Amino acid sequence: MTQFGDLLGPPPTRLTGDPEAEDALAGGADPSTVAASHPTASVAWAELAERALEAGETVAAYAYARTGYHRGLDQLRRHGWKGFGPVPYDHEPNRGFLRCVAVLARAAQTIGEEDEYIRCLELVNESDPHASAPLGLA
């Protein structure tokens, strides 16, 4: 049995990440510069989205999170994900995508877009039922 409790479901998708973008962010680089240099790196968009949300810039957070979400979907599909199945939070390279979905959920809720909020919550829970709390959604 997998950590997600399903022998018949698809295997967990584990992204390879973007080591250059991740290293730049870990080294304190400006996330805008990292996103411009590595536009496919969800982790850079997640950092921008989280900072914007913390600053009360909800629309900017929504836009950054939406960009990172779509970049993450592209990566997931390239790794064999078919639109469903586990995307484990404990696999570090998956976190950029999941962080974007979480910020998108919170920003959508803030602007009253309830359907998007619920859809994002469901995506996080379907990806990894243990991810909500560390993503600030629990």
Side-chain angles (χ1 to χ4, degrees):
M1 188 174 300
T2 68
Q3 75 180 41
F4 292 89
D6 188 355
L7 285 174
L8 302 176
T13 302
R14 291 182 171 80
L15 297 174
T16 52
D18 187 324
E20 287 182 23
E22 293 159 11
D23 290 346
L25 290 168
D30 175 18
S32 294
T33 302
V34 177
S37 299
H38 304 275
T40 62
S42 289
V43 67
W45 296 106
E47 189 67 30
L48 286 167
E50 290 167 347
R51 289 181 182 199
L53 195 63
E54 288 172 12
E57 299 169 1
T58 306
V59 173
Y62 186 99
Y64 289 138
R66 171 75 64 196
T67 300
Y69 162 80
H70 281 287
R71 293 303 191 147
L73 288 177
D74 292 342
Q75 292 172 6
L76 286 166
R77 288 183 190 112
R78 282 194 304 274
H79 282 79
W81 189 73
K82 303 290 187 211
F84 62 92
V87 180
Y89 178 81
D90 66 358
H91 181 67
E92 186 73 33
N94 291 350
R95 289 186 183 178
F97 167 72
L98 293 169
R99 288 168 57 196
C100 285
V101 178
V103 173
L104 187 57
R106 292 195 308 268
Q109 184 180 40
T110 299
I111 63 174
E113 193 178 1
E114 193 66 19
D115 289 346
E116 179 74 348
Y117 170 69
I118 291 168
R119 188 183 66 75
C120 290
L121 287 180
E122 289 173 352
L123 179 56
V124 167
N125 287 325
E126 290 170 6
S127 295
D128 186 338
H130 305 291
S132 290
L135 290 170
L137 295 173

